[in-house]
Amino acid sequence: MAGVITFDQVSKRFRVYKQRHDSLKEAFIRRRRGVFDEFWILRDLSFEVESGTALGIIGPNGSGKSTALKLIARILHPNGGRIGVDGRVSALLELGTGFHPDYTGRENIFLNGALLGLRRDFIRQRLEQIIDFAGIEPFIDNPVKTYSSGMAMRLGFAIAVNVDSDILLIDEVLAVGDAAFAQKCFDQISRFRAEGKTIVLVSHDLDAVRKFCDRAILIDQGGVRAAGHPDEVTGRYLADVRRRQEHPEEAATAAARWGTRDAEITRAEMLGQNGRPRYIFDTGDPLQIVISYRCVRPVRDAVFGIAITRADGVYCYAANTGARGIRIGQLAESGSVVFSAPHLNLAEGSYQLSVAITDRDFRVTYDHWDRRIEFTVRQAGAYAGGIVFMNDQWNVDGALASPAAS
Amino acid sequence: MAYYELLANFVARDLKTKYRGSVLGIFWSLLNPLLLMLIYTVVFSVIVRIPIKPYPIFLLSGLVPWNAFAQTLTSATTSVQHSANIVRKVHFPLEILPLSAVATASVQLLISLVLLAGLALVFQVGIGLAILFLPLLVILQLVFSVGLGALLAAVQVFFRDIEYFLSVLLTVWFFGTPIVYSLDLVPARFRPFFQANPMAWLISSYQDIWFYKRTPALVPLLGFMLVAVATAAVGLLVYRRLSRRFAEEV
């Protein structure tokens, strides 16, 4: 039936090139194509959109929402699972994509329409309607490069919503232009719904999701975390956001994580002297970091590592089991690895901890949590500047200088 | 499918952009082969004295299709990369990208062929009945260009130095193909090497109909036909396979 969308255990993998071998020479010499990390932006994602309904997809940045939309639009292709899309799709992924700056608005309507697979005579029929909707009639015969970005976006929206499609995909574009135009867009979308067309809306604007959608799903870390009535799902999302704000050590869970996940980090914690989780330290305190892992597939000779970065991005410290000559062999199905240091010799400041599991040559990353754990170091009195604290003492003219009486 | 209109749109856009704002417009595409003809004529019939007369017609009958071929491959190779912004955001048949590059270049080929016909009359070589083979040669050349262009365009997405490799290849290929000289000027022991080049088969067919005014020799023509169809099949197949990852790699 036209308008039905089904996702059946859909997975999508992206490659992040650390050092891309764009040249053939390098590829031949090293006999492999670039050093890249693979990560699954979507993992076994399943959902269904019934014909004539509106689905809202929400989730934190990097959760895979837009990827899901591009999969429906057939711009991307899945690495696993099955996608069924029935009917003609019109996608508003980025308004004005494919506009030619030297072409006039009118010429661009034809060019853009052709890009959407429309016939010239069909566009000619709709031309007036499109120009009228965009509200840029006086400028329609000027080159698009003379348009403001708002005008260009309005023209893009006008073209996309005046296409006869069964499915309309919208990605964060409702915040277009002024209030009057936004209202026009909303009205047009409502009309779409009234005509029984299917809509998928990806948005951070929870109000829009509540207002327009019959159902909503919350995507996080590549899978559906919640599905149901928009009020419930947006409520759940807000609760998640609030929880993260209250637990700063988890605040960055939406931040970068990548890897094949053959071995997964299930938890990473910093422990203080008493063996309890702790995220505020004094310079010189003992430090322990516990990395809990789980093996999804057998992994040999893994390397566990940590890295500390200052909040402003300065790379401060890294350590790993490989550098210490530790051969792990076959990794247990699950377990934990503990890093300990007698003194945390970092100077005062805010820091972020990264933890990772890689293979022996650091070529394959199994799981990498990039700067996902934040902690603070305080330093009473002695801080003068820099990153490290060297526990300094001073001799002035041969005599040990003692700190000023305080 | 209404996508042939997209193809027409892309070609019109490319032609317009190419010549918009230039006073002589499309005549630049004629000026270039004319200038080359003049230079090569001076070098090879006045200085080096290649014993072919009238040399300009011999030269142009090979040079015009070769230029179109080289131009087609060059623009097809970067066609996907240069359209990255739409490839990433719009779903459309991606085959259109190398196809429109080839179509754009073929418009210029047709214009140059008209020029060549004019010159054939000027130099009193005349035009024989064999000219009826011209459409077939042009079509075969385009089929070959589409196949090779699609293949290079797809690989270029993953290895950005294909385009540099191509420009070197085209230079070598040009001088390795009997265009500025004829095959019988090549020492006999090197000839098999030149005869193994499919572009030489095509160019010799062009020279047959324009310069010698005779029916193209059958073996090279059939040979090129086979190569063209095979290249198109392989090129488009590879392109289709690799195009599934264009949106994320380009």
Side-chain angles (χ1 to χ4, degrees):
Chain A
M1 187 176 171
V4 177
I5 302 168
T6 39
F7 265 51
D8 186 12
Q9 302 213 306
V10 171
S11 296
K12 180 66 195 169
R13 181 180 61 206
F14 279 146
R15 286 175 177 178
V16 177
Y17 292 90
K18 285 199 241 168
Q19 182 199 348
R20 186 169 175 155
H21 292 169
D22 269 335
S23 84
L24 276 174
K25 184 186 129 217
E26 282 180 74
F28 281 137
I29 289 174
R30 304 203 185 183
R31 289 205 182 139
R32 61 192 152 94
R33 231 203 93 206
V35 179
F36 56 79
D37 283 324
E38 288 186 334
F39 74 99
W40 294 91
I41 181 88
L42 293 178
R43 204 109 206 223
D44 297 333
L45 181 70
S46 301
F47 67 86
E48 201 164 306
V49 190
E50 284 166 37
S51 178
T53 64
L55 175 76
I57 304 181
I58 57 177
N61 286 331
S63 57
K65 298 174 300 216
S66 298
T67 304
L69 216 56
K70 284 187 176 179
L71 285 166
I72 300 173
R74 281 172 293 185
I75 295 165
L76 296 177
H77 301 269
N79 298 100
R82 218 188 55 80
I83 298 174
V85 176
D86 206 346
R88 187 191 187 89
V89 177
S90 171
L92 299 183
L93 296 185
E94 193 172 298
L95 295 177
T97 297
F99 276 173
H100 192 293
D102 288 331
Y103 271 30
T104 66
R106 191 188 302 273
E107 286 171 320
N108 266 305
I109 293 176
F110 284 99
L111 181 64
N112 222 251
L115 202 55
L116 296 171
L118 302 178
R119 305 187 61 91
R120 208 174 170 78
D121 31 335
F122 177 85
I123 304 168
R124 204 170 285 132
Q125 280 170 25
R126 295 292 176 98
L127 193 61
E128 233 162 273
Q129 202 176 327
I130 292 170
I131 297 172
D132 186 53
F133 189 93
I136 53 166
E137 221 207 315
F139 311 102
I140 198 65
D141 289 311
N142 296 352
V144 162
K145 65 181 171 193
T146 66
Y147 287 19
S148 70
S149 60
M151 283 160 68
M153 282 202 278
R154 273 150 60 173
L155 186 58
F157 191 88
I159 298 168
V161 295
N162 282 294
V163 168
D164 271 336
S165 58
D166 305 305
I167 298 169
L168 181 66
L169 307 179
I170 306 170
D171 191 0
E172 298 285 2
V173 289
L174 294 177
V176 174
D178 51 46
F181 187 74
Q183 189 55 46
K184 226 162 153 185
C185 298
F186 280 132
D187 291 348
Q188 182 69 22
I189 292 170
S190 303
R191 208 167 307 138
F192 248 84
R193 278 194 55 190
E195 287 168 15
K197 291 173 177 177
T198 305
I199 296 172
V200 180
L201 170 69
V202 163
S203 186
H204 278 123
D205 181 355
L206 300 183
D207 279 337
V209 171
R210 275 193 288 256
K211 201 163 152 194
F212 285 104
C213 299
D214 307 299
R215 286 184 67 243
I217 58 175
L218 168 61
I219 296 186
D220 196 2
Q221 292 180 14
V224 175
R225 291 284 158 268
H229 192 271
D231 287 341
E232 285 166 32
V233 178
T234 53
R236 163 81 188 267
Y237 179 55
L238 284 176
D240 277 5
V241 171
R242 220 169 292 128
R243 190 169 50 79
R244 279 175 189 160
Q245 279 163 354
E246 283 161 13
H247 297 272
E249 73 278 6
E250 284 182 42
T253 37
R257 177 179 188 178
W258 61 80
T260 62
R261 304 271 182 102
D262 289 348
E264 269 184 336
I265 298 169
T266 52
R267 201 160 56 156
E269 279 181 326
M270 301 180 81
L271 305 182
Q273 224 158 355
N274 55 6
R276 294 231 195 91
R278 186 172 175 190
Y279 297 91
I280 297 169
F281 294 85
D282 287 313
T283 295
D285 276 358
L287 166 69
Q288 283 199 328
I289 298 166
V290 182
I291 305 169
S292 307
Y293 67 87
R294 178 179 72 190
C295 258
V296 179
R297 270 184 280 271
V299 166
R300 277 197 68 79
D301 292 339
V303 170
F304 286 77
I306 64 127
I308 295 173
T309 319
R310 200 163 66 182
D312 60 2
V314 176
Y315 178 49
C316 304
Y317 182 72
N320 64 63
T321 53
R324 281 289 182 184
I326 299 164
R327 287 285 292 272
I328 291 177
Q330 185 81 34
L331 203 57
E333 214 160 276
S334 69
S336 61
V337 172
V338 182
F339 161 96
S340 37
H343 301 290
L344 173 60
N345 286 337
L346 284 172
E348 191 166 281
S350 299
Y351 296 89
Q352 294 160 330
L353 176 70
S354 306
V355 290
I357 314 176
T358 69
D359 77 337
R360 197 173 49 184
D361 311 317
F362 307 108
R363 248 192 261 167
V364 179
T365 300
Y366 298 124
D367 197 359
H368 183 125
W369 288 18
D370 194 47
R371 302 205 237 157
R372 283 170 61 136
I373 296 153
E374 296 181 353
F375 64 99
T376 308
V377 177
R378 297 176 306 196
Q379 192 173 4
Y383 182 66
I387 301 173
V388 296
F389 178 63
M390 295 197 176
N391 201 8
D392 50 315
Q393 290 192 340
W394 295 78
N395 282 284
V396 180
D397 293 334
L400 182 66
S402 52
S406 54
Chain B
M1 282 306 265
Y3 279 112
Y4 74 91
E5 293 197 349
L6 180 58
L7 183 62
N9 261 295
F10 275 177
V11 173
R13 184 195 63 184
D14 291 347
L15 287 173
K16 269 193 213 170
T17 340
K18 199 159 178 183
Y19 298 112
R20 185 170 286 199
S22 71
V23 181
L24 294 181
I26 202 122
F27 290 101
W28 283 114
S29 64
L30 299 181
L31 221 59
N32 188 35
L34 268 180
L35 187 68
L36 275 179
M37 180 196 80
L38 207 69
I39 293 169
Y40 281 120
T41 305
V42 169
V43 173
F44 291 107
S45 80
V46 178
I47 303 172
V48 183
R49 286 180 220 159
I50 288 179
I52 301 174
K53 288 214 160 51
Y55 185 71
I57 297 304
F58 173 81
L59 175 71
L60 274 190
S61 64
L63 189 61
V64 163
W66 175 271
N67 275 350
F69 173 69
Q71 214 174 68
T72 308
L73 280 193
T74 309
S75 65
T77 297
T78 51
S79 61
V80 177
Q81 193 187 333
H82 286 168
S83 299
N85 66 327
I86 50 175
V87 171
R88 282 195 218 109
K89 279 160 201 147
V90 186
H91 165 75
F92 66 100
L94 293 165
E95 281 79 7
I96 283 190
L97 294 171
L99 273 178
S100 78
V102 172
T104 304
S106 67
V107 170
Q108 288 165 326
L109 170 63
L110 293 183
I111 295 167
S112 313
L113 285 173
V114 172
L115 171 88
L116 176 55
L119 284 173
L121 297 176
V122 170
F123 283 92
Q124 297 181 331
V125 174
I127 294 171
L129 261 186
I131 200 74
L132 294 175
F133 280 91
L134 185 62
L136 176 66
L137 295 189
V138 171
I139 287 169
L140 288 181
Q141 178 178 342
L142 294 184
V143 169
F144 184 56
S145 305
V146 165
L148 202 53
L151 183 72
L152 292 173
V155 181
Q156 166 77 8
V157 172
F158 299 89
F159 295 109
R160 291 293 152 86
D161 44 8
I162 287 291
E163 60 176 312
Y164 307 115
F165 163 74
L166 178 69
S167 71
V168 174
L169 174 78
L170 283 174
T171 307
V172 176
W173 204 351
F174 172 70
F175 285 103
T177 305
I179 296 169
V180 296
Y181 54 89
S182 62
L183 187 61
D184 30 293
L185 294 175
V186 176
R189 61 194 164 113
F190 293 128
R191 246 174 249 168
F193 178 71
F194 286 77
Q195 282 165 331
N197 167 8
M199 275 311 278
W201 309 340
L202 176 70
I203 297 295
S204 75
S205 305
Y206 275 112
Q207 288 160 346
D208 278 340
I209 64 171
W210 284 109
F211 184 75
Y212 300 107
K213 293 193 287 176
R214 63 188 181 207
T215 312
L218 192 65
V219 175
L221 186 59
L222 282 180
F224 186 76
M225 200 180 284
L226 273 177
V227 169
V229 171
T231 307
V234 171
L236 289 173
L237 214 71
V238 171
Y239 187 87
R240 175 152 294 182
R241 256 192 88 88
L242 291 179
S243 69
R244 292 173 68 83
R245 278 172 50 210
F246 283 176
E248 49 199 280
E249 295 280 353
V250 72

